Amino acid sequence: MKNFTDFQSQLPILEVDRLEAAFEIDGEWHNAVDNISFHVKPKQVIGVVGESGCGKSVMSLSLMQLLPKGIGKIRNGEIKFNGRHLEKLNEKEMNKVRGKDIAMIFQEPMTSLNPVFTIGFQLAEALHNHFDISKQDARRKVIHLLDRVGISRPEKVVDEYPHQLSGGMRQRVMIAMAIACEPKLLIADEPTTALDVTVQAQILELLQELQTANDMSIILITHDLGVVAETCHEVIVMYAGEIVEQADVITLFECPKHPYTELLMKSIPRMDQEEEVLASIKGIVPSLKNMPRTGCKFVDRCPKAMEECRTITPQLEESSPGHGVKCLLYESSWEQEGMKAK
Ligand code: SF4
């Protein structure tokens, strides 16, 4: 069960301000994350939702300074963790932050675990990177961590190799690795997508348990609004590299405003809905090379698009306190002209 602490009064641990991350394609740089700002408070769980290609993963890799060198870079903006500018750190300084202050888990644990080393070796390595700890103590701690993430027979699993474990167990190992140094912020990028439904629920429950026990904040990246409803306090909806809507989870689910969010909502199966066919969003997210330069980036897929949407670029504006929407239908200048959405 989510605990809605009073986040208002707390100072953020992570502040992202006007972040732009770009990739080079055919000699030109294109923003995959375009001018996004948000913050994360202690113990807060923020969901970042949107379809594949909306910039969610690029955003999380940018926070960790893990964009592929040479073809990806942070072009602009600030990322402050506990007041420290991460975008100004060198690789050695950033290595100290990764794992210890901010940790990350990915969708497919097999790509993050090294197949030629035992689980115990890989988890111990994460500990040795940040602590002066003996081999015996590291092994003891690894077994404790495996136990903590719900792996049965941890004394045996510690000496096994990744291919000997199921997908769900491998994801538990990745979570153990991520929490090994008790980070204050965990970035979980589609952590349950590759798993079957029952295991997905178990992994989400585990993340919630650890979040409460460790007083950790989580940025949960997912395309699944159902997961967000279950686990998050605050939600950021991304489309084509931009934040198009942002609100606390109750407001977003009770009163979604952006046409893209509305369509995402209609694509979640609901118990109280008789219709068997779920809505799908026509078309695809524009590629980086084909991104509209002016106007709203959602225009070609938006059922409420107006002519002006092709020429006027909407701004993310507060439609009510704490509820930001980036759509001309909700802009104050339009309200004055009597054109605001009812
Ligand atoms: Fe749709 Fe226009 Fe709003 Fe974009 S600005 S979401 S095209 S109504």
Side-chain angles (χ1 to χ4, degrees):
M1 198 66 178
K2 281 189 292 272
N3 175 15
F4 278 85
T5 326
D6 177 17
F7 292 114
Q8 296 284 344
S9 55
Q10 297 178 26
L11 289 174
I13 55 164
L14 180 78
E15 293 164 88
V16 177
D17 190 23
R18 292 167 286 114
L19 180 68
E20 288 178 35
F23 284 92
E24 190 182 18
I25 305 169
D26 299 336
E28 267 188 54
W29 288 90
H30 301 267
N31 278 3
V33 165
D34 201 3
N35 194 22
I36 67 170
S37 303
F38 66 95
H39 54 245
V40 183
K41 303 271 182 85
K43 305 184 208 174
Q44 196 175 32
V45 183
I46 305 256
V48 182
V49 290
E51 300 157 285
S52 300
C54 280
K56 309 181 304 281
S57 294
V58 177
M59 184 271 286
S60 59
L61 291 173
S62 308
L63 300 183
M64 295 294 274
Q65 312 283 325
L66 286 175
L67 289 173
K69 290 212 168 21
I71 55 161
K73 68 177 180 188
I74 291 179
R75 216 180 193 181
N76 211 347
E78 294 181 347
I79 304 164
K80 278 199 277 179
F81 182 77
N82 278 336
R84 206 167 164 217
H85 280 273
L86 299 189
E87 80 284 357
K88 292 184 182 160
L89 300 186
N90 62 32
E91 191 54 22
K92 198 172 160 199
E93 291 165 330
M94 197 57 215
N95 269 338
K96 287 189 187 156
V97 172
R98 289 187 205 115
K100 182 91 174 58
D101 296 315
I102 310 176
M104 189 161 178
I105 47 175
F106 298 91
Q107 182 180 134
E108 181 35 78
M110 230 15 209
T111 54
S112 313
L113 288 168
N114 192 326
V116 301
F117 294 114
T118 64
I119 299 299
F121 179 88
Q122 297 184 59
L123 272 163
E125 200 181 23
L127 292 169
H128 288 304
N129 282 343
H130 294 288
F131 302 112
D132 188 13
I133 185 170
S134 71
K135 270 188 172 176
Q136 290 89 335
D137 284 347
R139 185 178 170 89
R140 262 196 294 275
K141 176 124 200 222
V142 166
I143 292 171
H144 170 72
L145 280 166
L146 291 174
D147 182 49
R148 189 142 180 244
V149 296
I151 288 188
S152 51
R153 303 174 297 108
E155 304 81 4
K156 189 162 180 292
V157 171
V158 71
D159 295 317
E160 290 183 344
Y161 290 86
H163 73 270
Q164 294 176 272
L165 309 183
S166 67
M169 280 173 83
R170 286 199 289 263
Q171 195 55 292
R172 285 178 192 269
V173 169
M174 287 312 300
I175 294 172
M177 199 177 283
I179 62 157
C181 302
E182 301 188 4
K184 282 290 158 217
L185 174 64
L186 176 69
I187 302 173
D189 190 353
E190 304 271 9
T192 60
T193 304
L195 306 172
D196 70 50
V197 179
T198 318
V199 184
Q200 277 187 16
Q202 292 166 355
I203 294 290
L204 286 174
E205 205 174 305
L206 171 64
L207 284 175
Q208 282 179 296
E209 265 171 44
L210 293 169
Q211 184 265 327
T212 313
N214 288 12
D215 286 345
M216 199 166 56
S217 306
I218 297 181
I219 297 177
L220 179 65
I221 291 160
T222 177
H223 61 273
D224 188 339
L225 267 171
V227 167
V228 166
E230 290 289 319
T231 48
C232 299
H233 301 111
E234 181 94 16
V235 192
I236 287 170
V237 181
M238 281 187 77
Y239 185 77
E242 298 176 335
I243 294 178
V244 294
E245 187 156 8
Q246 187 170 13
D248 68 80
V249 71
I250 296 171
T251 305
L252 193 94
F253 275 80
E254 285 184 351
C255 186
K257 290 199 162 162
H258 196 281
Y260 180 58
T261 315
E262 287 177 334
L263 288 171
L264 286 178
M265 294 283 182
K266 286 186 185 153
S267 64
I268 323 174
R270 287 174 52 154
M271 302 290 277
D272 59 350
Q273 217 167 262
E274 283 186 10
E275 292 157 52
E276 285 188 2
V277 182
L278 296 172
S280 61
I281 308 173
K282 65 167 188 174
I284 51 168
V285 183
S287 68
L288 290 184
K289 276 182 86 174
N290 296 320
M291 206 60 84
R293 295 197 182 230
T294 52
C296 172
K297 290 179 180 171
F298 190 52
V299 67
D300 286 331
R301 305 175 74 193
C302 180
K304 296 183 179 172
M306 309 166 285
E307 248 182 78
E308 295 79 357
C309 302
R310 295 203 177 270
T311 49
I312 303 174
T313 306
Q315 305 300 314
L316 187 68
E317 279 197 5
E318 271 200 336
S319 73
S320 59
H323 188 173
V325 189
K326 188 179 170 74
C327 170
L328 289 181
L329 291 170
Y330 298 95
E331 280 200 8
S332 43
S333 52
W334 286 75
E335 185 181 19
Q336 283 153 19
E337 290 166 38
M339 296 181 79
K340 191 179 180 185
K342 298 280 181 283

